[in-house]
Amino acid sequence: MARRIMVVGVPWSSHELVPAARDAERLGARLHVVDTADTLSSLGDDPSYERIPVPVLDESELVAAADRIGPDCIVSITELNMQLAAGVRMAVGHPGTAADTELTVADKFRTRAVLQKHGLTQVDHWETTLDEVADLVAAVDLPVVVKPRQLTGSAGVRLVASPADVERLTEQYQRETAQRFDRHRLLVESYVPGVEISVEGLVVDGELHVFALTDKVNTGSPHYVEVGHLMPSAYSAQWEPRVRDYLQRCVTALGVVTSPVHAELKVTDDAVELIELHTRYGGDDIVRLLEKSCDVRPFEAYFAAMLNGTRPASSDQGHDAFWGVGFFSAPVGSPFRWASYDFPHPEAVVQLEVDATAEPKLRAYEGVSLMYWRAGRALFSAPDHRAVQENIDFLLAQSPRAEEAGARGASAT
């Protein structure tokens, strides 16, 4: 009989269930995805995993579902349900990262406070609300970055370089809705210089195993929305040892037991600074890049750790090629228009997925306006890092900035 992996909640990007189900099968296991009937109905008829409906997605209903399923492990692969899955694990006596740790990781102010306590951050930071942020900004040294305490995907993030930027920041929020979902609670932190990278890895029984360092490409100031990723990072050989050491100390301080890790960091020749940590794998095709670039099956490694306590094999092997993904991005409120598909390195283009008739699926989430949307993506691979980087930069150069396109007001509708 196949072992049973209970997955709490349909992931934000439901296509992630495809590699997750495949990797579970390689371990002789089967996914049992638990969510409401309405949400499960959006998944289509893929037979590779079971669908377990519950009236509402809360701990008591999930504990009852676990009693029926008899899972061998309980996980979530979507950020929004990490704490809930941890609570269910604790309630039924399964091991794994604790619910309080998941809450601390999800709350960016709590994360920063733990790092400060352990001497792992030099960033000045404050907690505030939408109603009070203007007074706080007037009293601190600028620039600062302001973001919701609990949200992902760069939603609501803005660089504030002058008091005038506060009005533009607050225009991104629909106050009544944001307060209802607790998105009015904000973190303000001093701007961190350096090169931004991400780290993809897996923590097993408290020990961090790094799969890859990833170069990140974003829209830059003021919103920093991600438009591309490149793996492995051009800085891997130079920075990986000290990044690994620093991040191990971070996950130990936070109490991460067994979880995937997607960490966003700023690095200079003198310092490493954590920006955000997530106890799940990165979105934006990070899983596919790991499979292509590092010959790692991330979900298989995670499920093997949860089912058997297995630590992943070393990923220090050489790389035959660099892999990257770039997105056809446009400001919310602007139609998709693309000037050219003449990539500087067409030989590095592996796959293009573009829908010129597409429209934004969401304009706001829980009272926070989204600044960009995507009409497609491009997958790149080449033996030369520069070829992949320049193709991603080509996409970025054609993407109009949200405020340049006059989309700020439209995005709040």
Side-chain angles (χ1 to χ4, degrees):
M1 178 182 295
R3 301 175 79 181
R4 299 173 181 179
I5 300 174
M6 177 173 166
V7 178
V8 175
V10 172
W12 181 277
S13 299
S14 58
H15 65 269
E16 291 179 350
L17 286 170
V18 174
R22 176 205 63 199
D23 290 357
E25 185 177 3
R26 287 168 58 91
L27 295 169
R30 188 168 176 83
L31 299 187
H32 289 62
V33 183
V34 185
D35 211 320
T36 63
D38 284 346
T39 302
L40 291 171
S41 67
S42 67
L43 294 178
D45 56 359
D46 188 333
S48 63
Y49 47 84
E50 304 294 332
R51 296 159 182 76
I52 310 297
V54 291
V56 293
L57 203 63
D58 65 16
E59 187 171 314
S60 62
E61 291 290 347
L62 289 166
V63 169
D67 288 341
R68 297 193 300 272
I69 295 168
D72 295 282
C73 69
I74 300 169
V75 303
S76 177
I77 59 175
T78 179
E79 178 147 349
L80 301 178
N81 293 318
M82 293 298 177
Q83 186 181 349
L84 185 55
V88 177
R89 280 197 301 267
M90 295 174 66
V92 303
H94 279 219
T97 299
D100 188 62
T101 292
E102 296 290 6
L103 173 59
T104 298
V105 168
D107 187 323
K108 298 175 180 65
F109 180 80
R110 287 182 56 152
T111 298
R112 191 65 70 192
V114 169
L115 296 180
Q116 184 181 50
K117 177 181 177 182
H118 289 83
L120 294 169
T121 181
Q122 302 301 314
V123 174
D124 294 327
H125 58 283
W126 306 266
E127 57 180 331
T128 188
T129 66
L130 273 175
D131 290 336
E132 299 167 343
V133 65
D135 291 338
L136 176 61
V137 166
V140 303
D141 292 333
L142 301 179
V144 294
V145 175
V146 184
K147 62 183 76 173
R149 284 183 57 162
Q150 296 190 55
L151 205 54
T152 188
S154 300
V157 175
R158 186 180 179 96
L159 179 75
V160 174
S162 71
D165 290 332
V166 176
E167 181 178 355
R168 299 184 183 96
L169 165 76
T170 57
E171 286 176 356
Q172 293 176 231
Y173 292 80
Q174 302 158 15
R175 287 179 178 271
E176 183 176 338
T177 304
Q179 186 158 0
R180 186 166 73 249
F181 288 100
D182 212 25
R183 305 306 183 193
H184 68 299
R185 297 167 65 227
L186 305 176
L187 167 68
V188 178
E189 57 187 15
S190 55
Y191 175 77
V192 180
V195 176
E196 185 172 5
I197 63 169
S198 65
V199 179
E200 328 306 334
L202 176 66
V203 177
V204 182
D205 290 333
E207 181 183 355
L208 172 67
H209 301 265
V210 172
F211 294 144
L213 272 57
T214 307
D215 291 327
K216 294 161 59 69
V217 180
N218 62 47
T219 58
S221 172
H223 303 296
Y224 304 103
V225 176
E226 294 171 357
V227 296
H229 306 272
L230 200 167
M231 186 185 299
S233 168
Y235 300 97
S236 294
Q238 176 184 357
W239 286 345
E240 183 166 337
R242 65 192 180 101
V243 165
R244 185 194 304 266
D245 176 69
Y246 171 76
L247 192 55
Q248 174 67 71
R249 288 183 286 142
C250 289
V251 299
T252 298
L254 291 164
V256 180
V257 177
T258 298
S259 295
V261 166
H262 172 69
E264 300 172 5
L265 304 103
K266 287 285 190 75
V267 187
T268 67
D269 290 336
D270 302 319
V272 183
E273 186 72 59
L274 183 70
I275 303 301
E276 293 184 8
L277 180 75
H278 307 276
T279 49
R280 43 92 176 155
Y281 291 122
D284 290 354
D285 278 343
I286 289 290
V287 166
R288 180 157 63 159
L289 295 184
L290 282 168
E291 292 177 351
K292 297 289 190 182
S293 172
C294 304
D295 195 26
V296 171
R297 291 184 181 269
F299 288 117
E300 182 177 352
Y302 179 36
F303 298 155
M306 292 294 287
L307 290 168
N308 309 316
T310 305
R311 286 168 164 76
S314 172
S315 59
D316 293 334
Q317 74 278 5
H319 301 277
D320 295 330
F322 294 90
W323 287 79
V325 63
F327 298 98
F328 294 91
S329 303
V332 173
S334 295
F336 173 73
R337 295 189 181 93
W338 215 251
S340 172
Y341 296 89
D342 294 330
F343 290 96
H345 300 279
E347 74 285 355
V349 178
V350 175
Q351 185 179 25
L352 291 177
E353 299 175 3
V354 185
D355 182 356
T357 67
E359 295 182 354
K361 294 180 180 179
L362 287 174
R363 293 177 178 270
Y365 180 74
E366 295 185 351
V368 182
S369 296
L370 306 180
M371 304 308 294
Y372 289 85
W373 68 285
R374 295 168 176 171
R377 67 190 66 207
L379 185 67
F380 307 115
S381 180
D384 179 9
H385 180 281
R386 181 178 59 86
V388 178
Q389 181 70 62
E390 290 181 358
N391 276 0
I392 296 174
D393 290 343
F394 175 74
L395 291 178
L396 174 62
Q398 295 188 78
S399 302
R401 300 296 183 265
E403 293 191 350
E404 292 172 359
R408 185 177 70 248
S411 67
T413 60

